[in-house]
Amino acid sequence: MNMQNIIETTNLTKYYKNGVVGIENLSLTVREGEIYGFLGSNGAGKTTTIRILMNLIFQTSGRAQIFGKDCVKQRLEICKDIGYLPSAVIPHRYMTGEGFLDYMGKLSGNGNQTQRRYLLDRFEFSERDFKRKVKDYSTGMARKIGIIQALQTKPRLLIMDEPTEGLDPVMQNTFYELIREYRDQGSTVFLSSHHLLEVEQICDRAGIIRNGHLVAVEKINDLARYKTRKIWIEFKSFPDRAELDSPLWEIMNLTDNSLEAKITGDIDSIIKMISKFNIRDMSISNPNLHEIFMSYYQENPK
Amino acid sequence: MIGNIHLKQSAKGIRTKTLLLCIGLFVFEFLFAILASSSYIRADLAKNMKETPPMVSQMMGEGFADAVMKYSIMAFGYVHPFMLVLFILFIFFAFSQVITSEISSGAIGFTLSKPVSRNRIFFNLWIIIYIGLGLLSFSTFLSSFLGIVIFQGGQLSSAPFGNIAWNLFLVMIVVAGYVSILAATSDSGKILFTRGGVILVVLYLISMADPLWKPLEFISPISPFKYYIPMNLFLGGHVPTLTAVLMIGVSILMFGFAAFLFNKKDIAVG
């Protein structure tokens, strides 16, 4: 195993009891000091992969290693250096936020009060909220305390399953900043998400998983080429059909008063082009995961 | 060290529930003792109980024998079969909730992300459940004994009540063994409750029907209820040492087997 690889899976396969494929022959590597986004829609196999890495479930075949150690046989050694955030909400409902962080810190054998204080401030956690029971927390607050739990020991590797679910946009940005800080200080981050923009914003590389198979591993800049955006225009008065033909877009749908097209050219040129039309409304939308997969398959047919 | 932190936290989690159960059982048993000592029963029984069995008188004294006979006839003669089932099911639900909150809820995802082994988690559960059941048994001993002393009076020996509490504890740890195996194989508390409830009722029915239908004799030893013998104990009997050792051994083996299953289990939460 390459020493630079913090996570390495080889032909990792998980079949559930009812024959459902969790993941199949999944091989991926996460290098030291990078933020790796694991991108896929719901049920694609992201959580299955993470649970195998955390040794919560057992693979049917294949191998998973973290820090060059086997995830099954050497779990206890591996866990000392991992901060983990599951997708589930915090179940320790009878504890206060403070009690929960104390407990998890002690279990790590590495409770870092200074770091915890810093994180609480960054996530705007008041002393009063900190002393309240977890069962009284909103979804967002429970998520924040979960994130702080994972980060408080300054682990060498962070594994996070859809970490920003339930966070408001301001706190999402705080989270992104913190993740970058940790990366800059030498930590490696492996996070799953089904939001392309999130992965694009913070990750160095991304793996796209679909139906249990890793279909692509891309540098974030390369991922942009699959990001075909769409434009929708509603006209006050419909222009001549010939005026709408342009290499800047690929028309997908035309009605009596509207147009939907895939953007293939430069946005600035498109804006200039449509400025001569009489427009009632318009929008430009980002592609969803399905469309990205479609773009990927069109470019990489098997 | 880290395992102890988990143990301490698990104990904290169960503390309030155990305390409430102890108080509940204490009150329940105490009320039972009042019922058994009521003047109506006393008068009624006095007509039919002219003599105390000599062996009992020798061992415990007249007053004791009189009191316990009345108590046992009322409490364990008429109401015992129903009370026992309720009692065991009640504790089963309370303790299985403790187990599932540890190993079948999202908590396990957080716990296992730290350097704590699955074996240690199960070992901690074992300790906590044994202590909890011990406290519950002690609570029933204390309340029934005090209840009889206060409301019945007379020279009483605490030995039979102690033996019953000990017997109850042994039965409960075997039940806990069954629960631990079910918990180690169930994916949710709901499944555990359903399966566990059905299995316990079946085991109870087996122990009840055993004397009525010969073929059940072969299977009835697996029912922990078969070993619950309060009437014998009231009359001066003891839980045989071999039976006690076997019950403890079986319970520990069951926990061990549950830990083995838990080590192989996919945890689909957390």
Side-chain angles (χ1 to χ4, degrees), chain A residues 2-135:
Chain A
N2 186 338
M3 285 307 287
Q4 295 295 307
N5 291 341
I6 293 292
I7 297 176
E8 183 169 342
T9 70
T10 313
N11 294 324
L12 203 59
T13 300
K14 174 67 184 178
Y15 300 129
Y16 289 103
K17 276 181 202 161
N18 48 9
V20 172
V21 177
I23 51 173
E24 208 164 36
N25 294 321
L26 190 138
S27 299
L28 65 81
T29 53
V30 178
R31 297 176 202 134
E32 186 158 25
E34 75 173 345
I35 303 176
Y36 187 101
F38 203 35
L39 193 61
S41 48
N42 292 331
K46 303 186 298 287
T47 301
T48 298
T49 308
I50 286 178
R51 283 180 179 157
I52 291 175
L53 289 173
M54 294 308 298
N55 194 223
L56 291 171
I57 61 176
F58 297 93
Q59 64 262 42
T60 310
S61 63
R63 195 182 57 175
Q65 287 183 305
I66 293 178
F67 310 133
K69 294 169 183 169
D70 188 273
C71 286
V72 178
K73 292 175 189 155
Q74 293 164 288
R75 183 182 79 78
L76 294 183
E77 289 169 51
I78 292 170
C79 284
K80 286 176 188 162
D81 289 322
I82 292 184
Y84 171 57
L85 178 73
S87 56
V89 290
I90 298 168
H92 304 74
R93 295 168 56 78
Y94 57 88
M95 287 187 192
T96 61
E98 184 179 27
F100 175 67
L101 292 186
D102 276 343
Y103 174 53
M104 295 306 286
K106 281 177 190 165
L107 277 184
S108 306
N110 180 19
N112 185 333
Q113 293 292 331
T114 319
Q115 186 63 14
R116 181 203 288 185
R117 190 67 265 165
Y118 170 70
L119 292 167
L120 287 168
D121 290 342
R122 289 296 302 271
F123 278 114
E124 298 170 10
F125 234 90
S126 71
E127 201 60 33
R128 197 169 133 263
D129 288 337
F130 194 41
K131 305 274 183 199
R132 277 165 60 196
K133 291 212 167 161
V134 170
K135 69 182 166 82

Side-chain angles (χ1 to χ4, degrees), chain B residues 92 100 182-183 185-198:
Chain B
F92 158 72
T100 48
L182 288 170
T185 51
S186 304
D187 286 330
S188 71
K190 202 174 163 188
I191 296 172
L192 173 64
F193 290 159
T194 318
R195 283 184 194 163
V198 169

Side-chain angles (χ1 to χ4, degrees), chain B residues 92-108:
Chain B
F92 158 72
F93 284 120
F95 277 86
S96 54
Q97 202 190 336
V98 169
I99 297 179
T100 48
S101 70
E102 274 285 339
I103 65 171
S104 301
S105 78
I108 193 68

Side-chain angles (χ1 to χ4, degrees), chain A residues 148-160:
Chain A
I148 294 169
Q149 167 278 135
L151 297 173
Q152 68 174 343
T153 57
K154 282 201 144 188
R156 193 174 157 204
L157 170 65
L158 278 160
I159 296 181
M160 307 180 119

Side-chain angles (χ1 to χ4, degrees), chain B residues 193-260:
Chain B
F193 290 159
T194 318
R195 283 184 194 163
V198 169
I199 288 174
L200 282 184
V201 170
V202 168
L203 287 172
Y204 175 72
L205 291 176
I206 287 172
S207 73
M208 293 297 285
D210 172 22
L212 307 173
W213 195 40
K214 275 272 177 197
L216 283 179
E217 272 181 15
F218 297 102
I219 197 171
S220 65
I222 66 162
S223 171
F225 304 105
K226 188 179 167 64
Y227 306 98
Y228 189 55
I229 47 168
M231 288 292 273
N232 297 356
L233 300 174
F234 265 124
L235 294 172
H238 294 276
V239 180
T241 311
L242 183 65
T243 307
V245 170
L246 275 175
M247 289 175 89
I248 293 170
V250 165
S251 169
I252 291 172
L253 278 177
M254 281 172 153
F255 268 93
F257 182 56
F260 170 77

Side-chain angles (χ1 to χ4, degrees), chain B residues 38-50 70 73-74 78:
Chain B
S38 71
S39 57
Y40 169 76
I41 296 165
R42 196 181 305 189
D44 190 42
L45 291 174
K47 278 189 264 176
N48 304 315
M49 285 182 43
K50 298 289 180 206
K70 288 172 189 172
I73 287 167
M74 181 61 204
Y78 296 126

